[in-house]
Amino acid sequence: MVKTAGALGELTQAGELARGQARLITAMSDVEREQWITHLIVRSQITADPVERPGS
């Protein structure tokens, strides 16, 4: 019975760790997507504004 309780505790901890890692991965993906969108917006603004264009 003690071994079963210990194994159940370890399984619960592993599940909590996996959920935490999944949340971290999701958050990192969200940040990466937001940075990419910001990059595209800035790039389009630079391309559209002749004063900001490199070499002008």
Side-chain angles (χ1 to χ4, degrees):
M1 189 71 150
V2 173
K3 283 186 177 183
T4 304
L8 184 57
E10 289 179 21
L11 181 60
T12 301
Q13 287 178 343
E16 290 173 0
L17 178 60
R19 280 193 301 273
Q21 289 175 340
R23 282 192 296 266
L24 178 61
I25 290 169
T26 301
M28 290 171 65
S29 296
D30 291 346
V31 168
E32 183 179 9
R33 188 178 316 109
E34 289 172 9
Q35 287 177 339
W36 179 247
I37 291 168
T38 301
H39 168 76
L40 291 176
I41 291 169
V42 170
R43 187 172 158 193
S44 69
Q45 289 172 342
I46 290 171
T47 303
D49 187 352
V51 176
E52 294 292 331
R53 218 178 272 164
S56 296

